[in-house]
Amino acid sequence: MIIESLKARWAVIIIVLVVAILWNVPNFMNVDPEKWFTKDKLRYGLDIQGGLHLVMGVDVEGVVREKIAREVKNIKEELKKKNIAFQSVEVSSKDPTQIHIMESSADSAKTIKEFIEKNYAGVLQVLEQEGNALDVRYYDSRIRQ
């Protein structure tokens, strides 16, 4: 059914507006719920009432630990692909932000150090090399990033 008469259209618009206003009267005025056809007021959500406060944060240390653990796996895989002999690659026990690499021989120590300096130039820095052990860590700028 299409309303073609202009008077009928205006009548429908006015009826809808009156019903909408009467329906919302309890939200603006105190009325007796027993005498009014709508009994409930509009319930605002927490966001409208201002009762919601959400703060999100990042566990930076956890992210760094996870990133270092992934980097350990990557270094192991790449050393195996390049056939560079090593004993172990693991997160350092004295500092969880460092990677401790145990080489199998003095020759492989030099090769691994060159490998790290070449492939991880802007990412990892070689801290110290003692015998067959090599300690590396992320640059501070990389950790902040």
Side-chain angles (χ1 to χ4, degrees), residues 28-40:
F28 303 109
M29 300 172 58
N30 289 330
V31 293
D32 187 13
E34 295 170 2
K35 294 181 182 176
W36 204 257
F37 64 97
T38 58
K39 295 183 179 18
D40 294 330

Side-chain angles (χ1 to χ4, degrees), residues 105-120:
S105 67
D107 293 335
S108 68
K110 184 179 177 190
T111 309
I112 290 174
K113 184 176 179 182
E114 290 173 357
F115 170 79
I116 295 292
E117 289 173 346
K118 180 183 175 191
N119 295 318
Y120 294 92

Side-chain angles (χ1 to χ4, degrees), residues 76-142:
K76 281 181 186 178
E77 290 173 7
E78 289 183 30
L79 288 175
K80 286 178 184 176
K81 283 182 188 176
K82 303 268 186 189
N83 292 326
I84 300 174
F86 66 95
Q87 223 173 11
S88 67
V89 179
E90 55 193 23
V91 177
S92 176
S93 59
K94 56 185 173 183
D95 185 0
T97 63
Q98 293 182 6
I99 299 172
H100 186 72
I101 303 171
M102 285 295 293
E103 296 92 358
S104 57
S105 67
D107 293 335
S108 68
K110 184 179 177 190
T111 309
I112 290 174
K113 184 176 179 182
E114 290 173 357
F115 170 79
I116 295 292
E117 289 173 346
K118 180 183 175 191
N119 295 318
Y120 294 92
V123 180
L124 296 173
Q125 61 182 338
V126 176
L127 294 176
E128 60 181 306
Q129 183 174 5
E130 295 177 15
N132 291 355
L134 180 69
D135 287 329
V136 297
R137 76 182 297 257
Y138 280 110
Y139 282 102
D140 290 335
S141 61
R142 190 76 172 183

